[in-house]
Amino acid sequence: MDLSASVLGVPVITANATIGSATAPPGGGTDTTTGLAVTIPGAVGVTASGTVLEVSATRGPTASSANSDIAELALGILGIPVVAADLITAEVNCPQSGALTADTNVVGLTLFGAPAVLVPNTPGVTASAAVVVPGLTEASLTVTLTAVEETTADTAAAVAVLATVQLTGSVAGGQVIDIPVGTVILAEANCERPLAPTSPTATPTQPSASPTVTPTESPSPTQPTQSPTASPYPTRHPHLPVTGDSGSSLWWTLGLGTGMVTLGTGAVLAVRRSRRMTGA
């Protein structure tokens, strides 16, 4: 509630108060208040009575909600009853997924004593009543009542009764003046859709430097692999008293020696035979 009006520099209406407003707490959790008496401390030209049955708001990881309930409200301005209602409620719900909702309900509503019915999101109901204001002649108070139910992609808002007040009258000399007085909100609720949890973004890590490894050369598929201990020559036998490159050389040498011995023996025998024949 924010009402203010002055006539010829003299305040005639002053009121600043909140009556039944609930907004889901941004930090999460639940805020609830019950059984509050409606009062307007320091008000001038405005009176109010009734009970705030409950004002509650919840914000969780998967849903957010709020509601406000007021009973037996009576609002008077400049000495006359302006708005009265048996029950006024506003409720909103904001799930993390799915449709958001905003709802209002008013039971037994009257404006300047006459019954009134509000249809949300329409121009509403307007009425006027005569009032007495020092410094004004033919003064009247005009009030328009509306209800609001709004949802967006991520928010929901509900106002059960929104009263817009204006003061009209004539000052000395017959000049007519219109004074916007302000607005009164009765039972308001707001919520916001909780953000969906975000998947942690994987931070690419730099691979650690691997030790440098010198690859072992593998033999070419087309090249025969040579054994590191293999010798291109046959193994020599140091206990033999001959040298040669193979066993066949040894046998050839032995055969040559044997032949020479045989030839020598044959020559000796031939000489002996010759001498015997000569002597005979």
Side-chain angles (χ1 to χ4, degrees), residues 66-223:
N67 68 277
S68 177
D69 304 321
I70 303 173
E72 305 299 332
L73 177 78
L75 175 66
I77 301 175
L78 297 175
I80 63 172
V82 177
V83 178
D86 296 331
L87 182 65
I88 305 173
T89 64
E91 182 176 0
V92 292
N93 286 282
C94 298
Q96 188 180 81
S97 61
L100 282 67
T101 61
D103 300 292
T104 60
N105 185 42
V106 182
V107 178
L109 178 65
T110 60
L111 176 58
F112 294 122
V117 177
L118 298 183
V119 177
N121 307 323
T122 66
V125 178
T126 300
S128 298
V131 292
V132 176
V133 179
L136 287 180
T137 59
E138 298 179 354
S140 64
L141 201 63
T142 301
V143 177
T144 299
L145 302 181
T146 58
V148 177
E149 296 177 357
E150 291 183 346
T151 59
T152 67
D154 298 313
T155 63
V159 177
V161 177
L162 173 61
T164 303
V165 183
Q166 180 172 298
L167 178 63
T168 303
S170 299
V171 294
Q175 180 183 0
V176 177
I177 60 173
D178 293 324
I179 304 173
V181 177
T183 58
V184 178
I185 294 177
L186 304 172
E188 176 184 27
N190 297 276
C191 68
E192 183 176 359
R193 188 194 300 275
L195 296 177
T198 57
S199 300
T201 302
T203 303
T205 57
Q206 295 295 332
S208 57
S210 300
T212 302
V213 178
T214 303
T216 302
E217 294 186 0
S218 299
S220 172
T222 60
Q223 297 293 334

